[in-house]
Amino acid sequence: MSTMTLRGALAIVGAESEHSDAIHIRDGHIVSADADVPGDTEVVDCTDCVVTPGLVNAHHHLLQTAFRTLPGSRFRPMREWLQVMATAYRRMRVDPELCAAAAAVGLAESLLAGVTTVADHHLTWPAGVDPVDLAGATIAAARDAGARLVFVRGTAGDDPHAAADSVRAIHDAHLVDPSHGVSADGMTQLATGPSGVHADSPDTFRELATVAAELGLRRRTQANEQVDVRIAQERYGARPLQLLEDWGWLDRDVTVAHLCDITTDEIAALARSGAHATHAPGCDIPMGWGIAGVADFQDAGIVVGLGTSGGGSNDGGHLLADARLAMQVSGLIGRPLSARTLLTAATQGSATGLGRAELGHLRVGAAADLCVWDCGDVDDAGVADPVDGLLWASPGRRPRDVMVAGRWVVRDHRLVGQDSRGLAEQLRRLLRDREASA
């Protein structure tokens, strides 16, 4: 039996009481202070630190980690941006080796930034490459890193029936004793996710909904991006959310990302459906799509999570930085959002959208996924509220320690069991070799 106590914290966010100074862990879960704790329990000093749940990135594209700051991809309309990305994918030959290297870097970056769960919406499936192998490369990278992964079998114009069959094959090959699409150890989850109504047909949405119901999987998609609204109007004479509702993709098991260009009536429809939303300001703002009305969503009763989206649009997987951005720009379009509101979105809000009640908080029974943030140096001197300071002070802040399922994956700002510089060089070398042979 593995037991541990984190003691002396300034605050513990997401616990029964934020003012508690200690948290107790046994066998990978949070337990009560009254639980039977052996005398040899490890004690971790959290003086001058704030403890939070591990952050949950509800929307990422890990493959794009290999395609950051591409020439011609900055400040372009989405249609042109998609073409730039597609050209780069073809040039670099997306295959399991590239997916593994990109995912290893993206997941290491995530853990070092306090993200313990990543939902990877994978949309690129080249002809002649086995989808089971492609998915397996990312899943294996997450296992090696010690991160939780939600692998979203996405589509972007793929054959609907082949896509659905590959979901079944990935499920059978890579999930051990799954329950509702989650492996028995909780480390791997499978979901389905068309890119959006601009790229995928009603048949694709129907087939992926069918296989999701068959296997008990969550569903995810994107809507109301720049090109999404225009193409939906041109092709179907309707707006994306109306199409999603008509196609059965506004429901309690669905999460929709982006949602920048959205009307009051559409917010009401989203709320009635019970669907969840994911805010991705670090992508949406530089891409010129706008700012999602998170305050309006929450006022309507919609659960909102937070995501970074991929390296092709955001260039980073630092979810806390994007929570800070979301907080800073929120007042431009409505009621300003507090640091605590955005921390909740980046933890419990994201976890709820994934159907993972054990993640995103530190109450008794939760999985022991957490971050220890050192607030004792000059960056936080003069900060009146250390929880507010997590977002307001020290842009680019990284946690001192990160735990997943009761195991340390980051200690003193360094990965445990992996060499981050080695992973970076592996990806750089692979990209150099492929560029030379292109």
Side-chain angles (χ1 to χ4, degrees):
M1 181 179 295
S2 173
T3 61
M4 188 181 309
T5 293
L6 280 62
R7 190 175 300 283
L10 297 170
I12 301 178
V13 177
E16 267 82 9
S17 171
E18 186 179 290
H19 302 292
S20 174
D21 71 343
I23 190 165
H24 308 279
I25 298 160
R26 182 173 62 194
D27 292 341
H29 292 84
I30 307 301
V31 297
S32 167
D34 299 327
D36 182 21
V37 178
D40 61 351
T41 296
E42 178 185 356
V43 177
V44 178
D45 183 9
C46 295
T47 300
D48 292 331
C49 296
V50 172
V51 178
T52 71
L55 307 182
V56 179
N57 189 340
H59 187 65
H60 203 343
H61 303 287
L62 285 171
L63 174 62
Q64 291 181 16
T65 305
F67 300 94
R68 300 195 260 202
T69 68
L70 280 178
S73 66
R74 306 297 85 184
F75 306 113
R76 291 292 186 91
M78 187 176 175
R79 180 186 290 275
E80 295 179 15
W81 177 84
L82 288 170
Q83 292 172 350
V84 170
M85 297 301 296
T87 299
Y89 294 154
R90 288 192 297 270
R91 184 178 181 84
M92 289 297 165
R93 305 189 309 277
V94 174
D95 61 9
E97 183 183 22
L98 180 58
C99 285
V105 169
L107 290 161
E109 177 187 25
S110 297
L111 290 172
L112 288 166
V115 176
T116 54
T117 300
V118 175
D120 175 32
H121 196 174
H122 188 93
L123 299 170
T124 305
W125 304 91
V129 179
D130 187 343
V132 173
D133 293 340
L134 213 60
T138 298
I139 292 169
R143 291 268 171 181
D144 290 344
R148 296 188 195 269
L149 177 74
V150 182
F151 188 84
V152 185
R153 200 305 185 186
T155 54
D158 302 335
D159 176 82
H161 299 285
D165 286 343
S166 78
V167 173
R168 297 182 181 95
I170 293 167
H171 179 273
D172 292 347
H174 295 301
L175 267 69
V176 179
D177 298 325
S179 174
H180 302 292
V182 182
S183 61
D185 63 1
M187 298 300 292
T188 307
Q189 182 176 355
L190 181 64
T192 64
S195 177
V197 302
H198 65 282
D200 293 298
S201 69
D203 287 345
T204 299
F205 280 87
R206 182 177 60 253
E207 289 298 322
L208 291 189
T210 297
V211 72
E214 173 190 324
L215 299 175
L217 310 182
R218 305 289 291 190
R219 295 182 286 163
R220 310 181 71 78
T221 190
Q222 305 170 120
N224 291 51
E225 303 156 292
Q226 189 182 61
V227 74
D228 195 55
V229 175
R230 181 176 58 78
I231 290 180
Q233 191 65 50
E234 291 174 355
R235 190 173 295 163
Y236 302 104
R239 287 173 59 83
L241 285 178
Q242 181 60 60
L243 294 171
L244 291 180
E245 187 171 33
D246 292 346
W247 298 351
W249 272 72
L250 285 189
D251 211 333
R252 294 184 182 279
D253 64 327
V254 175
T255 300
V256 187
H258 299 298
L259 295 170
C260 296
D261 178 8
I262 188 168
T263 68
T264 300
D265 288 345
E266 288 170 340
I267 292 174
L270 195 67
R272 286 195 303 271
S273 73
H276 307 266
T278 299
H279 184 31
C283 163
D284 299 341
I285 292 171
M287 290 292 287
W289 298 341
I291 305 170
V294 174
D296 292 337
F297 295 170
Q298 292 183 334
D299 289 346
I302 299 166
V303 175
V304 180
L306 202 68
T308 60
S309 201
S313 58
N314 185 337
D315 304 301
H318 197 307
L319 194 66
L320 193 76
D322 286 6
R324 184 178 194 269
L325 175 62
M327 177 184 67
Q328 290 180 314
V329 302
S330 60
L332 296 176
I333 61 165
R335 172 172 53 80
L337 300 172
S338 69
R340 283 173 171 79
T341 295
L342 269 307
L343 282 171
T344 299
T347 52
Q348 189 163 330
S350 293
T352 299
L354 296 171
R356 303 295 294 274
E358 80 279 20
L359 304 180
H361 64 95
L362 296 175
R363 297 183 292 276
V364 172
D369 294 9
L370 57 82
C371 301
V372 180
W373 307 85
D374 184 357
C375 302
D377 214 325
V378 291
D379 293 341
D380 291 281
V383 168
D385 182 331
V387 177
D388 277 354
L390 287 180
L391 266 61
W392 283 111
S394 188
R397 178 194 302 272
R398 287 185 173 187
R400 185 190 77 184
D401 307 315
V402 179
M403 176 181 287
V404 180
R407 296 181 293 273
W408 293 115
V409 291
V410 174
R411 293 306 304 267
D412 295 323
H413 305 282
R414 298 179 67 87
L415 293 175
V416 174
Q418 287 192 312
D419 172 18
S420 60
R421 288 186 175 273
L423 295 173
E425 178 54 30
Q426 180 183 8
L427 178 58
R428 292 190 188 103
R429 184 169 56 250
L430 179 60
L431 294 174
R432 285 196 301 266
D433 290 346
R434 297 200 174 190
E435 182 65 33
S437 64

